[in-house]
Amino acid sequence: MTNAVIDCIVSRSAAKYYDRSACLSDDQIRELVRIGTTAPTSFHLQNWRFIAVRTPEAKARLKPIAWNQPPITEAAVTFIVCGQLADSSVIPERLAPVVEAGIMPADLVPDWEIPARGLYQDFPQRQRDEAVRTATFGAAAMIYAARSWGLGSTPMIGFDADAVHRAFQLAEDEVPVMLLSVGPERPGNWPQKPRRPVADVLNFA
Ligand SMILES: Cc1cc2nc3c(=O)[nH]c(=O)nc-3n(C[C@H](O)[C@H](O)[C@H](O)COP(=O)(O)O)c2cc1C
């Protein structure tokens, strides 16, 4: 039961050491984000934004507020993966291209917007949970796409969220969910660590 996709998933590990001389072109970065944005989001909210930190100046700005983690200066690019607080009022605009493409009948749009309003509008914790879920799905798709291109990646939560918010001018409704470094690796990274047995993490119901 294996194939190239599964091989890519099961062989990934978090990188620590990157080829410091490697760059990714803006087109490669755009393509990685495009792939990331094919991940699913609740009500098709697409409540994410990706800041590609790839110049020496921007890396130097990020590193001290991210625990001085080496991938930030070593990897070709580090994404600040932002989730946006879930806001049901954007749903008509987000679904318009789906209607235009003939995928969804226009009269179904309120059937998505109204329940989303009930779910999120008066519930700040749910708005934030959705921001975190959305950004995490996007980052995961980018991690595996990068792996399929032979690139390493490092998801990182070791950073000062308030400082990142300020230093990169995030909007009030944006949460810096994680940093994600991506780039060609250099030798020395650990292989993938053993996992807890499936029997310990799976229950059938
Ligand atoms: C949400 C999240 C946050 C993480 N934060 C960091 C981090 O700040 N620095 C770091 O070096 N690794 C970080 N990691 C990498 C984990 O340590 C790593 O994924 C874990 O040890 C499992 O190893 P593997 O990814 O190589 O299988 C993070 C991973 C995740 C999913």
Side-chain angles (χ1 to χ4, degrees):
M1 258 208 323
T2 191
N3 59 43
V5 175
I6 294 171
D7 286 347
C8 174
I9 293 171
V10 300
S11 64
R12 180 216 56 84
S13 59
K16 183 168 180 187
Y17 302 115
Y18 286 91
D19 175 352
R20 297 187 191 96
S21 62
C23 292
L24 292 181
S25 69
D26 285 2
D27 280 347
Q28 286 172 306
I29 291 171
R30 269 188 210 100
E31 180 60 1
L32 199 54
V33 170
R34 189 193 67 77
I35 294 166
T37 63
T38 63
T41 57
S42 176
F43 296 100
H44 203 38
L45 279 168
Q46 304 169 76
N47 50 325
W48 41 31
R49 190 160 72 88
F50 305 84
I51 301 170
V53 176
R54 86 273 192 240
T55 63
E57 178 280 315
K59 288 177 174 181
R61 196 163 10 126
L62 182 58
K63 195 173 184 188
I65 53 178
W67 299 6
N68 284 309
Q69 298 207 53
I72 291 163
T73 38
E74 291 203 353
V77 59
T78 296
F79 295 95
I80 303 171
V81 185
C82 303
Q84 297 166 332
L85 301 179
D87 171 8
S88 61
S89 71
V90 304
I91 287 179
E93 170 200 324
R94 298 288 148 83
L95 292 181
V98 186
V99 173
E100 262 162 50
I103 296 168
M104 181 179 200
D107 59 2
L108 266 191
V109 172
D111 289 359
W112 287 37
E113 188 185 359
I114 294 163
R117 194 184 307 143
L119 184 60
Y120 299 122
Q121 187 162 267
D122 299 319
F123 299 95
Q125 180 69 49
R126 291 182 190 169
Q127 294 170 15
R128 192 185 161 87
D129 288 349
E130 210 52 70
V132 173
R133 269 194 287 267
T134 289
T136 304
F137 266 116
M142 291 164 70
I143 285 171
Y144 292 113
R147 171 85 188 137
S148 78
W149 291 347
L151 302 176
S153 65
T154 323
M156 288 176 290
I157 193 57
F159 63 92
D160 177 336
D162 292 337
V164 168
H165 208 280
R166 281 192 300 275
F168 290 86
Q169 288 103 41
L170 270 56
E172 212 166 299
D173 71 339
E174 289 181 322
V175 180
V177 171
M178 79 180 80
L179 304 179
L180 176 62
S181 295
V182 175
E185 298 175 57
R186 68 186 153 92
N189 284 315
W190 286 358
Q192 201 192 56
K193 307 171 187 91
R195 264 30 193 190
R196 295 169 67 192
V198 172
D200 290 5
V201 299
L202 171 67
N203 291 105
F204 292 97

